Amino acid sequence: MYIFVEEKIKKAVDNGEFDNLPGNGKPLNLKDDLAGISPELRMGYKILKNAGYIDEETASTKDKLTFNDLMTSATGTADIDINEKRTQYEAFVQSKRLHTNPSFRKYARKIMKNLFG
């Protein structure tokens, strides 16, 4: 399958189909403008920003974004079920006795901080 795709691309290059694309001959912008956003929220932020759901106020405080901030930007209201989901998660952790594992506690604390602030 990859060979088929490669052949199509080579044929398009030979036919000059890529010659007049926007940005042709210009350097790529490799600057990371999302350096302040946690890696867990970065893709969600990009999707919402490109779709026009992130307002200027939210964009200006992107280094302090939480999951709830992105949810509010996407839906207009915070997810009402988020507390229920958190309760279900905590019940699952207790039932599987994951809270007794020091590595899991450390990792879970980081996740909770990033998701819930």
Side-chain angles (χ1 to χ4, degrees), residues 54-95:
I54 302 290
D55 58 9
E56 291 302 318
E57 180 183 336
T58 305
S60 66
T61 59
K62 64 184 171 193
D63 58 330
K64 297 177 185 174
L65 279 177
T66 63
F67 174 77
N68 285 338
D69 296 332
L70 292 179
M71 182 65 76
T72 302
S73 294
T75 63
T77 60
D79 186 7
I80 297 170
D81 296 329
I82 197 78
N83 290 328
E84 181 181 332
K85 291 181 190 295
R86 187 173 184 174
T87 303
Q88 289 174 350
Y89 166 76
E90 290 171 357
F92 174 77
V93 168
Q94 292 292 328
S95 71

Side-chain angles (χ1 to χ4, degrees), residues 4-16:
F4 175 73
V5 173
E6 295 254 344
E7 288 174 3
K8 286 285 210 179
I9 293 172
K10 287 178 184 177
K11 184 177 178 183
V13 169
D14 292 340
N15 292 338

Side-chain angles (χ1 to χ4, degrees), residues 2-31:
Y2 297 111
I3 296 171
F4 175 73
V5 173
E6 295 254 344
E7 288 174 3
K8 286 285 210 179
I9 293 172
K10 287 178 184 177
K11 184 177 178 183
V13 169
D14 292 340
N15 292 338
E17 295 179 29
F18 296 125
D19 290 345
N20 295 320
L21 293 176
N24 186 24
K26 296 179 184 173
L28 293 174
N29 181 7
L30 300 177
K31 179 184 170 195

